[in-house]
Amino acid sequence: MGFVLTLQGIFFNISFRGEVWGWALFYAGITGVAFGSAYYHLKPDDDRVMWDTLPMMIAYASLFSSLLAERVDAKIGLSCLIALVSVSFLSMIYARTFNDFRLCMTFQLIPTIAIPVVTFLFPPKYTHSRCWLYATGFYLLAKFEAAADRKIYSKTHYIISGHSLEHLCSAIVPVLLSVMLMYRDTKFQRLGDCKEGVRDK
């Protein structure tokens, strides 16, 4: 749904092409996570885990690229999108070849640092920019819950595991970002954005 709404360009407030591709790929990645995670959890093994991990890496690579397109420059964001998605695939190839997912796990943690840094260093182009930090907070919380999976499971008297809470918190991230896209307004336009808008017309 988010993928379609992004490409339609009516429901979400997305100004330029560089942002559109980043958000479209983000929602495509989130959709892939839904199906890939279900496929993996039906029969968890090393062969299926890539279908759970790769879409997630693509989604958050696209998300960071969208932030760069918004805060820094649309061309930089688009270049970053291509580079990070390529790194996502290369990381998965490495993981499958050497049975080592540490690079993939590290890649997934990058947004928790990079997004707040970019948010504080560069002024927002849109309103409702705090949603970036809220989404990052829920994503970071999800990772902590995953790390404390067994402890949470025992502390809750085996009612719910940290892994289950991880999925719930992760699901809140695209919801927050979708709300942001629906309700935000443009604060200002950079000179480069104005030129791009003229070319798009």
Side-chain angles (χ1 to χ4, degrees):
M1 179 65 74
F3 177 79
V4 174
L5 293 175
T6 300
L7 293 181
Q8 281 184 340
I10 300 173
F11 199 71
F12 290 154
N13 189 352
I14 301 173
S15 301
F16 297 101
R17 193 181 305 153
E19 294 178 75
V20 169
W21 288 116
W23 283 111
L25 201 53
F26 169 72
Y27 283 110
I30 292 298
T31 303
V33 171
F35 289 101
S37 182
Y39 176 70
Y40 167 69
H41 284 87
L42 285 173
K43 187 181 177 182
D45 58 31
D46 291 342
D47 292 328
R48 293 189 176 209
V49 71
M50 65 171 292
W51 300 109
D52 183 28
T53 306
L54 181 59
M56 191 182 305
M57 294 171 65
I58 292 174
Y60 288 104
S62 306
L63 183 62
F64 181 63
S65 302
S66 298
L67 178 62
L68 288 179
E70 173 191 327
R71 297 290 182 111
V72 184
D73 181 77
K75 288 184 178 179
I76 291 176
L78 190 57
S79 299
C80 186
L81 175 65
I82 296 170
L84 289 179
V85 170
S86 299
V87 171
S88 299
F89 279 98
L90 291 174
S91 299
M92 184 53 63
I93 292 171
Y94 174 85
R96 295 291 294 132
T97 303
F98 298 100
N99 196 28
D100 184 356
F101 283 84
R102 286 178 297 179
L103 188 59
C104 293
M105 297 301 105
T106 302
F107 187 88
Q108 291 181 50
L109 289 175
I110 290 176
T112 63
I113 301 171
I115 289 177
V117 169
V118 173
T119 300
F120 284 115
L121 288 180
F122 297 94
K125 176 180 156 185
Y126 302 99
T127 60
H128 296 78
S129 60
R130 288 184 180 179
C131 288
W132 283 105
L133 297 178
Y134 297 152
T136 304
F138 273 102
Y139 180 69
L140 186 59
L141 178 60
K143 292 305 175 185
F144 277 120
E145 289 166 342
D149 179 35
R150 293 181 181 275
K151 288 185 178 180
I152 292 174
Y153 193 44
S154 62
K155 291 291 184 181
T156 58
H157 302 286
Y158 308 102
I159 296 174
I160 190 168
S161 66
H163 186 72
S164 300
L165 291 175
E166 177 197 11
H167 280 280
L168 291 174
C169 283
S170 296
I172 294 174
V173 173
V175 173
L176 282 171
L177 294 172
S178 297
V179 170
M180 178 188 74
L181 291 176
M182 284 190 291
Y183 291 104
R184 70 183 187 177
D185 292 312
T186 304
K187 279 188 171 183
F188 66 90
Q189 285 190 331
R190 296 181 298 268
L191 181 60
D193 291 339
C194 294
K195 292 179 179 178
E196 183 181 343
V198 171
R199 286 197 300 270
D200 289 343
K201 292 178 182 178

